[in-house]
Amino acid sequence: MKKTLLSALLLSTTLSSFAQNEEPQWNGKITNYWKTSEPQKVEYLKKAKPGAPNILLILLDDVGFGASSAFGGLINTPTFDSLANNGLRYTNFHTAGICSPTRAALLTGRNHHAVKMGLFPNYHLGADFPSYDGHILPENGTIAEVLRDNGYSTYQLGKWHLTPDEETTDLGPFVRWPSGKGFDHNFGFLGGATDQYKPDLVEDNQHVKPDGRHLNQLLTDKAISYIDRHNSIDPEKPFFIYYATGAAHAPHQVDKVWSDKYKGKFDQGWDVYREQVFANQKKLGILPANAKLPERNPLIKAWKDIPAEEQKSFARFMEVYAGFLEYTDYEIGRLINHLKKTGELENTAVFVIIGDNGGSKEGSEYGVITKTNRFSNNNFTRDEYRKFVLSEYDKIGGKEVERIANYPLGWAQATNTPFRHWKGDANSEGATHNPLIVFYPKGIKERGIRNQYGHVIDIFPTITELTETPQPEYIRGYKQNPLHGISLLYSVKDAHAPSKRTQQHYCIFANRSIYKDGWKAAAAHKPTTLELFPYTDDPTPVIDGNPDNDVWELYNLNEDFNERIDLSKKYPEKLKELKALFEAEAKKYNIYPLVDFEHAAIRQRQVLQKQAEKPRQ
């Protein structure tokens, strides 16, 4: 009798825990003998709603608002053009402003500091503070976990950048690998950047050797193989594919077949590029009629004042970047065409986020090819570095470039047209304002442009609403924290619906801002010029690193879409109100303490010193 009661108690406890994961309650009857007991089958594998759409979530890397032709840029992206022309262009969509924070917010539907991704999971660049330690906990479940538990197959391809450094070996633990965050299978790389021809590849829970093909091709081939295998086993089951390219993040590497398509097309320089793109964006209707192009950033020279040999080098950097992005569009096109060939495109909802932030400033003044220009021990002067870059012209875009090979700063501003600034400057739309395309033939009846304010945290609830998937109270026994996102599905259905997201904060490297009902307060935090110009002969900090001394600006985005006119002196009370709101948000979402670039540089030097002190094995 005691054994029977113990068994019944254990079974009851198991089923109670199971019910916490929102599985069906067991309503049978247990006695001491099976003939007088009443069984009930528990469905451990849920099925998706009949006719539920496949989900293809595509995220590009380091692509500004004005790069792709789909949003007025001068780089041909016919796949994105087609998806946008037959779907929706979101003109007021936002990212976190840099890679890992955007990815964490996208997959969890929660603000990035709140899920411990204030910066990166790299232990030497993060900080030993709760919101910066890079460990996404299970109570902040991902969209992949929710979909998998509701009848979807889930696949991750490409860049991950959400695994802490100490967890990236084949010994794991794998709780923060894709497999530990809801993906049945994964193929890509765990870090923030990798060589496009010699990528640091992982497949499922182990590292694998690449075969020399370009990473873009590898990702699409693997995605197609996932789809084909999936369909051969259960074609009625929907799938979720998260396809995050390494492009167009550094290193910029692509076959000359692609980069040479742009020979001579950027010889007029970045000033002309900005003007042409701005005009294109006006024609597309993705900018307000009253929008004006901001002045060139004072850190960037006018193209006409740049010596001819530098112009030649700079133009080649952009030819490579353009070829890299167009090739990425081509490989994504192969995936889209495969879905069309298999008859699945009609019932596939495709979300394309063109960039996890704006164009990258990491190429600095002259660009980067084969010598690291940050945290460098090469002791280059500015002029020596300039001469070095010019001497390596033939290597731009090639297989021998370094992991951070990147275009010069002027092209970052150009590809961010119509905005100011660039990646990491979370005070500015240039870092956080990225294009979103939504394509869903079966579900989108009215194509066109959507101007509602959105953020990456909104994609999670958009997908769950679209698939009619409930947000669970528990995942694997862990009670879930509330989502911070707001579904965008209302805007899919009604182009004129008012924005449901009326407030959003941003903070990267202590650059910070707060948006509320069309108004935005922003503070730039730049304690040293070394971030952009590490070879300057005068590395004296130009601004006190104390964030209390940062200067706040104020913009009315309803009338000034791209932050040209600072209204802080005209409306001091509005600025005070928004600063107080940021303070409240900072406490609510664990943004403090503000960790800046200077702190990251110090941590980097500490790690390098420790590594140098270790005895060789």
Side-chain angles (χ1 to χ4, degrees):
M1 185 64 178
K2 287 183 179 179
K3 289 183 178 179
T4 302
L5 289 173
L6 180 59
S7 298
L9 179 61
L10 289 173
L11 180 59
S12 174
T13 302
T14 301
L15 292 175
S16 174
S17 175
F18 196 48
Q20 287 184 336
N21 288 294
E22 300 207 335
E23 295 292 345
Q25 289 283 348
W26 192 84
N27 294 316
K29 176 183 175 183
I30 294 178
T31 70
N32 62 349
Y33 187 42
W34 70 269
K35 282 189 176 183
T36 55
S37 298
E38 296 176 5
Q40 181 195 10
K41 180 176 175 58
V42 176
E43 297 290 344
Y44 283 87
L45 292 177
K46 280 188 177 180
K47 288 188 177 182
K49 297 278 186 181
N54 302 312
I55 303 294
L56 174 57
L57 175 56
I58 298 170
L59 176 64
L60 273 69
D61 202 330
D62 285 7
V63 183
F65 193 90
S68 71
S69 55
F71 279 75
L74 304 187
I75 301 172
N76 295 323
T77 52
T79 301
F80 298 156
D81 293 353
S82 177
L83 293 172
N85 291 339
N86 292 284
L88 302 173
R89 282 179 173 86
Y90 277 78
T91 67
N92 207 2
F93 184 77
H94 296 77
T95 58
I98 208 164
C99 43
S100 297
T102 289
R103 290 157 206 278
L106 174 66
L107 293 177
T108 68
R110 300 166 178 95
N111 289 305
H112 61 98
H113 285 87
V115 298
K116 296 176 164 287
M117 202 63 67
L119 284 171
F120 313 111
N122 313 74
Y123 66 92
H124 56 280
L125 290 180
D128 295 324
F129 301 109
S131 55
Y132 290 89
D133 70 19
H135 290 68
I136 299 176
L137 300 180
E139 48 264 44
N140 296 309
T142 70
I143 182 62
E145 290 176 290
V146 172
L147 290 178
R148 184 177 65 182
D149 289 349
N150 284 274
Y152 275 72
S153 293
T154 55
Y155 307 99
Q156 182 269 338
L157 297 120
K159 179 172 172 175
W160 183 242
H161 208 196
L162 297 174
T163 305
D165 282 356
E166 64 270 24
E167 298 179 6
T168 58
T169 74
D170 285 0
L171 296 180
F174 303 107
V175 289
R176 276 168 282 274
W177 285 46
S179 62
K181 292 298 175 186
F183 290 98
D184 296 324
H185 294 285
N186 66 276
F187 180 82
F189 60 102
L190 297 177
T194 194
D195 190 287
Q196 297 296 314
Y197 292 100
K198 301 182 290 292
D200 186 19
L201 279 181
V202 296
E203 183 165 12
D204 294 337
N205 284 352
Q206 62 181 345
H207 284 76
V208 295
K209 290 185 178 180
D211 60 10
R213 289 180 295 158
H214 196 284
L215 179 59
N216 281 349
Q217 182 181 1
L218 295 176
L219 296 180
T220 295
D221 285 350
K222 183 63 71 172
I224 289 172
S225 72
Y226 282 154
I227 292 169
D228 288 346
R229 186 178 181 191
H230 174 99
N231 290 341
S232 70
I233 297 171
D234 190 352
E236 298 302 315
K237 185 180 183 182
F239 56 75
F240 167 54
I241 294 176
Y242 171 47
Y243 183 110
T245 71
H249 193 288
H252 298 166
Q253 295 169 296
V254 71
D255 192 284
K256 285 189 175 183
V257 169
W258 294 95
S259 58
D260 285 354
K261 292 177 70 172
Y262 290 90
K263 273 286 188 183
K265 293 193 175 180
F266 302 114
D267 288 355
Q268 292 179 295
W270 43 62
D271 294 322
V272 170
Y273 181 101
R274 293 178 71 222
E275 292 168 358
Q276 291 178 345
V277 170
F278 191 76
N280 290 345
Q281 291 170 337
K282 281 289 188 79
K283 289 177 184 177
L284 281 171
I286 60 176
L287 299 186
N290 64 346
K292 295 181 180 180
L293 185 65
E295 296 295 323
R296 183 190 331 104
N297 189 290
L299 288 172
I300 299 169
K301 292 180 182 177
W303 187 262
K304 64 181 179 60
D305 296 334
I306 296 173
E309 59 178 349
E310 290 181 23
Q311 287 185 351
K312 178 183 176 182
S313 173
F314 294 173
R316 185 56 184 164
F317 272 108
M318 188 57 183
E319 291 167 6
V320 167
Y321 180 82
F324 190 18
L325 183 56
E326 183 174 348
Y327 174 53
T328 303
D329 177 271
Y330 166 80
E331 288 294 346
I332 292 172
R334 279 208 302 128
L335 176 55
I336 297 295
N337 287 333
H338 188 73
L339 290 171
K340 187 183 298 183
K341 180 180 176 182
T342 59
E344 292 175 292
L345 189 59
E346 184 73 14
N347 194 36
T348 298
V350 183
F351 298 83
V352 184
I353 303 171
I354 305 181
D356 55 355
N357 44 246
S360 171
K361 60 187 173 184
E362 292 152 331
S364 292
E365 188 175 7
Y366 296 109
V368 186
I369 306 173
T370 61
K371 287 288 183 183
T372 301
N373 75 327
R374 295 172 74 178
F375 314 122
S376 176
N377 294 320
N378 296 313
N379 296 317
F380 280 123
T381 65
R382 185 174 179 179
D383 188 58
E384 287 172 342
Y385 186 73
R386 168 188 170 274
K387 290 177 180 177
F388 172 77
V389 172
L390 295 178
S391 73
E392 295 216 317
Y393 176 87
D394 291 335
K395 294 181 180 178
I396 299 173
K399 293 184 178 181
E400 62 271 76
V401 304
E402 279 195 351
R403 219 174 75 148
I404 63 167
N406 213 329
Y407 57 22
L409 185 64
W411 290 119
Q413 182 173 44
T415 57
N416 280 342
T417 304
F419 302 114
R420 302 181 302 138
H421 304 131
W422 27 66
K423 173 181 179 180
D425 293 339
N427 54 294
S428 174
E429 299 290 296
T432 64
H433 203 130
N434 286 90
L436 168 67
I437 297 169
V438 180
F439 171 87
Y440 180 27
K442 187 177 177 181
I444 295 177
K445 305 304 179 186
E446 181 191 347
R447 303 169 185 172
I449 291 173
R450 296 293 185 269
N451 298 315
Q452 288 87 351
Y453 196 100
H455 189 271
V456 285
I457 57 178
D458 299 331
I459 297 298
F460 187 134
T462 302
I463 291 173
T464 55
E465 184 180 1
L466 180 64
T467 58
E468 298 182 52
T469 304
Q471 172 63 17
E473 184 180 358
Y474 290 84
I475 293 178
R476 289 176 294 148
Y478 290 93
K479 186 173 176 58
Q480 294 296 288
N481 289 327
L483 296 184
H484 303 148
I486 301 170
S487 172
L488 291 169
L489 204 57
Y490 74 95
S491 61
V492 172
K493 299 173 181 177
D494 183 0
H496 304 291
S499 296
K500 289 189 176 182
R501 175 163 296 287
T502 60
Q503 179 176 315
Q504 183 59 40
H505 67 269
Y506 301 87
C507 184
I508 298 293
F509 282 130
N511 299 309
R512 56 211 187 274
S513 59
I514 180 78
Y515 169 88
K516 176 68 173 177
D517 294 326
W519 288 89
K520 179 178 176 182
H525 179 80
K526 297 174 182 175
T528 174
T529 55
L530 287 180
E531 181 181 2
L532 292 179
F533 299 105
Y535 299 104
T536 179
D537 295 325
D538 179 18
T540 305
V542 294
I543 300 176
D544 182 356
N546 185 346
D548 290 340
N549 297 328
D550 292 340
V551 177
W552 284 78
E553 298 174 343
L554 178 69
Y555 299 96
N556 182 351
L557 300 189
N558 290 328
E559 299 177 1
D560 181 20
F561 178 75
N562 48 359
E563 305 172 309
R564 294 177 55 253
I565 303 168
D566 177 15
L567 300 173
S568 58
K569 290 184 173 58
K570 187 174 182 179
Y571 299 109
E573 290 304 312
K574 173 60 72 171
L575 178 60
K576 182 179 179 181
E577 172 193 328
L578 290 177
K579 287 175 66 176
L581 180 59
F582 180 86
E583 186 72 15
E585 292 286 278
K587 292 176 180 177
K588 180 178 179 180
Y589 294 108
N590 302 322
I591 293 174
Y592 290 146
L594 298 176
V595 174
D596 58 20
F597 181 86
E598 186 177 30
H599 177 277
I602 292 171
R603 290 290 294 254
Q604 176 77 2
R605 286 194 292 269
Q606 290 172 344
V607 169
L608 291 175
Q609 183 176 352
K610 287 182 180 179
Q611 291 176 345
E613 292 172 354
K614 282 185 178 179
R616 294 192 176 185
Q617 300 295 321

